[in-house]
Short mmCIF file of all heavy atoms in Angstrom, two decimals:
data_model
loop_
_atom_site.label_atom_id
_atom_site.label_comp_id
_atom_site.label_asym_id
_atom_site.label_seq_id
_atom_site.Cartn_x
_atom_site.Cartn_y
_atom_site.Cartn_z
N ASN Y 109 225.77 57.65 203.19
CA ASN Y 109 225.60 57.09 204.51
C ASN Y 109 226.90 56.54 205.04
O ASN Y 109 227.27 55.47 204.56
CB ASN Y 109 224.48 56.04 204.54
CG ASN Y 109 223.15 56.62 204.16
OD1 ASN Y 109 223.02 57.79 204.06
ND2 ASN Y 109 222.20 55.70 203.90
N THR Y 110 227.49 57.22 205.95
CA THR Y 110 228.75 56.71 206.46
C THR Y 110 228.85 57.00 207.97
O THR Y 110 228.17 57.81 208.48
CB THR Y 110 229.97 57.33 205.67
OG1 THR Y 110 231.18 56.60 206.02
CG2 THR Y 110 230.15 58.78 206.08
N GLU Y 111 229.70 56.18 208.61
CA GLU Y 111 229.95 56.29 210.02
C GLU Y 111 231.43 56.37 210.28
O GLU Y 111 232.21 55.72 209.57
CB GLU Y 111 229.35 55.10 210.70
CG GLU Y 111 227.86 54.91 210.50
CD GLU Y 111 227.39 53.49 210.83
OE1 GLU Y 111 228.26 52.59 211.10
OE2 GLU Y 111 226.14 53.25 210.74
N ALA Y 112 231.85 57.06 211.29
CA ALA Y 112 233.18 57.19 211.67
C ALA Y 112 233.42 56.39 212.92
O ALA Y 112 232.70 56.70 213.96
CB ALA Y 112 233.64 58.59 211.76
N PHE Y 113 234.45 55.59 212.96
CA PHE Y 113 234.70 54.78 214.17
C PHE Y 113 236.08 55.24 214.78
O PHE Y 113 237.01 55.38 214.04
CB PHE Y 113 234.84 53.25 213.85
CG PHE Y 113 233.51 52.75 213.41
CD1 PHE Y 113 233.19 52.81 212.05
CD2 PHE Y 113 232.60 52.19 214.29
CE1 PHE Y 113 231.94 52.30 211.57
CE2 PHE Y 113 231.33 51.73 213.87
CZ PHE Y 113 231.06 51.76 212.53
N THR X 43 223.67 63.55 207.93
CA THR X 43 223.92 62.49 208.82
C THR X 43 224.10 63.04 210.20
O THR X 43 224.80 64.02 210.41
CB THR X 43 225.17 61.70 208.39
OG1 THR X 43 225.07 61.18 207.13
CG2 THR X 43 225.43 60.54 209.42
N TRP X 44 223.48 62.35 211.14
CA TRP X 44 223.73 62.61 212.56
C TRP X 44 224.31 61.39 213.23
O TRP X 44 223.68 60.28 213.00
CB TRP X 44 222.46 63.08 213.28
CG TRP X 44 222.01 64.48 213.01
CD1 TRP X 44 221.07 64.91 212.11
CD2 TRP X 44 222.46 65.69 213.65
NE1 TRP X 44 220.95 66.25 212.14
CE2 TRP X 44 221.76 66.76 213.14
CE3 TRP X 44 223.34 65.95 214.71
CZ2 TRP X 44 221.97 68.08 213.50
CZ3 TRP X 44 223.53 67.23 215.16
CH2 TRP X 44 222.84 68.30 214.54
N LEU X 45 225.29 61.50 214.01
CA LEU X 45 225.77 60.35 214.78
C LEU X 45 225.78 60.76 216.27
O LEU X 45 225.98 61.92 216.64
CB LEU X 45 227.19 60.00 214.39
CG LEU X 45 227.48 59.68 212.98
CD1 LEU X 45 228.97 59.31 212.76
CD2 LEU X 45 226.57 58.57 212.45
N TRP X 46 225.49 59.72 217.16
CA TRP X 46 225.62 59.94 218.60
C TRP X 46 226.65 59.00 219.16
O TRP X 46 226.64 57.81 218.83
CB TRP X 46 224.20 59.70 219.26
CG TRP X 46 223.27 60.80 219.02
CD1 TRP X 46 222.37 60.97 218.05
CD2 TRP X 46 223.14 61.97 219.84
NE1 TRP X 46 221.68 62.16 218.16
CE2 TRP X 46 222.14 62.81 219.24
CE3 TRP X 46 223.84 62.43 220.98
CZ2 TRP X 46 221.75 64.06 219.86
CZ3 TRP X 46 223.46 63.67 221.51
CH2 TRP X 46 222.46 64.50 220.95
N TYR X 47 227.50 59.56 219.97
CA TYR X 47 228.63 58.79 220.58
C TYR X 47 228.58 58.93 222.07
O TYR X 47 228.01 59.87 222.66
CB TYR X 47 230.01 59.36 220.10
CG TYR X 47 230.34 59.15 218.70
CD1 TYR X 47 229.97 60.09 217.72
CD2 TYR X 47 231.14 58.08 218.32
CE1 TYR X 47 230.34 59.89 216.39
CE2 TYR X 47 231.51 57.90 217.01
CZ TYR X 47 231.13 58.81 216.06
OH TYR X 47 231.51 58.63 214.71
N LEU X 57 230.50 54.73 218.96
CA LEU X 57 229.29 55.06 218.21
C LEU X 57 228.13 54.32 218.82
O LEU X 57 228.19 53.13 219.02
CB LEU X 57 229.47 54.63 216.76
CG LEU X 57 228.34 54.95 215.82
CD1 LEU X 57 228.10 56.49 215.73
CD2 LEU X 57 228.61 54.34 214.42
N LEU X 58 226.99 55.07 218.97
CA LEU X 58 225.81 54.55 219.58
C LEU X 58 224.75 54.32 218.47
O LEU X 58 224.13 53.25 218.30
CB LEU X 58 225.23 55.39 220.66
CG LEU X 58 226.22 55.65 221.91
CD1 LEU X 58 225.46 56.72 222.82
CD2 LEU X 58 226.40 54.34 222.61
N ILE X 59 224.45 55.44 217.81
CA ILE X 59 223.37 55.45 216.82
C ILE X 59 223.76 56.34 215.66
O ILE X 59 224.36 57.38 215.81
CB ILE X 59 222.05 55.98 217.48
CG1 ILE X 59 221.51 54.97 218.52
CG2 ILE X 59 221.02 56.24 216.38
CD1 ILE X 59 220.21 55.40 219.18
N ALA X 60 223.40 55.89 214.43
CA ALA X 60 223.55 56.69 213.21
C ALA X 60 222.25 56.98 212.58
O ALA X 60 221.36 56.06 212.49
CB ALA X 60 224.44 55.93 212.21
N LEU X 61 222.01 58.22 212.12
CA LEU X 61 220.77 58.66 211.51
C LEU X 61 221.06 59.25 210.15
O LEU X 61 221.98 60.13 210.04
CB LEU X 61 220.11 59.70 212.33
CG LEU X 61 219.73 59.27 213.85
CD1 LEU X 61 219.57 60.46 214.67
CD2 LEU X 61 218.48 58.39 213.82
N TYR X 62 220.20 58.86 209.11
CA TYR X 62 220.61 59.30 207.78
C TYR X 62 219.45 60.04 207.00
O TYR X 62 219.68 60.58 205.99
CB TYR X 62 220.97 58.14 206.92
CG TYR X 62 222.13 57.36 207.47
CD1 TYR X 62 222.01 56.08 207.92
CD2 TYR X 62 223.42 57.99 207.53
CE1 TYR X 62 223.17 55.35 208.42
CE2 TYR X 62 224.52 57.35 208.06
CZ TYR X 62 224.41 56.06 208.44
OH TYR X 62 225.49 55.41 208.93
N LYS X 63 218.23 60.02 207.61
CA LYS X 63 217.12 60.62 206.90
C LYS X 63 216.40 61.59 207.87
O LYS X 63 216.14 61.20 209.05
CB LYS X 63 216.12 59.57 206.37
CG LYS X 63 216.70 58.67 205.30
CD LYS X 63 215.69 57.61 204.90
CE LYS X 63 216.19 56.71 203.81
NZ LYS X 63 215.22 55.71 203.42
N GLU X 66 213.84 60.47 210.68
CA GLU X 66 214.16 59.06 211.06
C GLU X 66 214.26 58.91 212.57
O GLU X 66 214.89 59.79 213.28
CB GLU X 66 215.51 58.67 210.43
CG GLU X 66 215.99 57.23 210.81
CD GLU X 66 217.34 56.88 210.14
OE1 GLU X 66 217.86 57.73 209.42
OE2 GLU X 66 217.82 55.83 210.42
N LEU X 67 213.65 57.88 213.11
CA LEU X 67 213.76 57.56 214.51
C LEU X 67 214.36 56.19 214.68
O LEU X 67 213.85 55.16 214.12
CB LEU X 67 212.30 57.56 215.17
CG LEU X 67 212.16 57.40 216.66
CD1 LEU X 67 212.62 58.66 217.33
CD2 LEU X 67 210.72 57.08 217.00
N THR X 68 215.44 56.12 215.45
CA THR X 68 216.24 54.84 215.51
C THR X 68 216.46 54.50 216.90
O THR X 68 216.80 55.36 217.74
CB THR X 68 217.51 54.93 214.71
OG1 THR X 68 217.29 55.16 213.37
CG2 THR X 68 218.35 53.59 214.90
N SER X 69 216.38 53.19 217.30
CA SER X 69 216.61 52.74 218.66
C SER X 69 217.75 51.71 218.70
O SER X 69 218.01 51.04 217.77
CB SER X 69 215.43 52.12 219.22
OG SER X 69 214.33 53.03 219.37
N ASN X 70 218.45 51.80 219.76
CA ASN X 70 219.54 50.83 220.06
C ASN X 70 219.36 50.49 221.60
O ASN X 70 219.89 51.17 222.42
CB ASN X 70 220.93 51.47 219.76
CG ASN X 70 222.03 50.50 220.13
OD1 ASN X 70 221.79 49.35 220.48
ND2 ASN X 70 223.22 51.02 220.03
N ALA X 75 217.17 57.76 219.17
CA ALA X 75 217.55 59.06 218.57
C ALA X 75 216.70 59.38 217.41
O ALA X 75 216.18 58.52 216.70
CB ALA X 75 219.03 58.94 218.17
N PHE X 77 216.30 62.14 213.91
CA PHE X 77 216.92 63.17 212.97
C PHE X 77 215.79 64.10 212.81
O PHE X 77 214.67 63.82 212.26
CB PHE X 77 217.24 62.39 211.64
CG PHE X 77 218.09 63.21 210.70
CD1 PHE X 77 219.09 62.51 209.98
CD2 PHE X 77 217.91 64.50 210.41
CE1 PHE X 77 219.88 63.17 209.11
CE2 PHE X 77 218.66 65.11 209.54
CZ PHE X 77 219.67 64.45 208.84
N SER X 84 218.87 67.13 216.21
CA SER X 84 218.74 65.76 216.60
C SER X 84 218.59 65.66 218.06
O SER X 84 219.14 66.46 218.78
CB SER X 84 219.91 65.01 216.04
OG SER X 84 219.80 63.62 216.41
N ALA X 102 227.24 64.39 216.57
CA ALA X 102 228.13 64.72 215.45
C ALA X 102 227.36 64.82 214.17
O ALA X 102 226.50 63.91 213.99
CB ALA X 102 229.28 63.72 215.33
N PHE X 115 233.05 64.91 210.31
CA PHE X 115 232.02 65.28 211.23
C PHE X 115 232.34 66.51 212.08
O PHE X 115 233.49 66.59 212.43
CB PHE X 115 231.56 64.09 212.09
CG PHE X 115 230.84 62.98 211.33
CD1 PHE X 115 231.58 61.98 210.75
CD2 PHE X 115 229.54 63.04 211.19
CE1 PHE X 115 230.94 61.00 210.06
CE2 PHE X 115 228.80 62.09 210.47
CZ PHE X 115 229.57 61.02 209.89
#
Side-chain angles (χ1 to χ4, degrees):
Chain Y
N109 295 351
T110 190
E111 302 160 354
F113 295 89
Chain X
T43 300
W44 283 96
L45 304 181
W46 284 92
Y47 290 87
L57 183 63
L58 300 174
I59 291 181
L61 302 161
Y62 301 115
K63 294 181 183 178
E66 179 181 357
L67 188 70
T68 298
S69 293
N70 177 7
F77 194 139
S84 177
F115 290 90

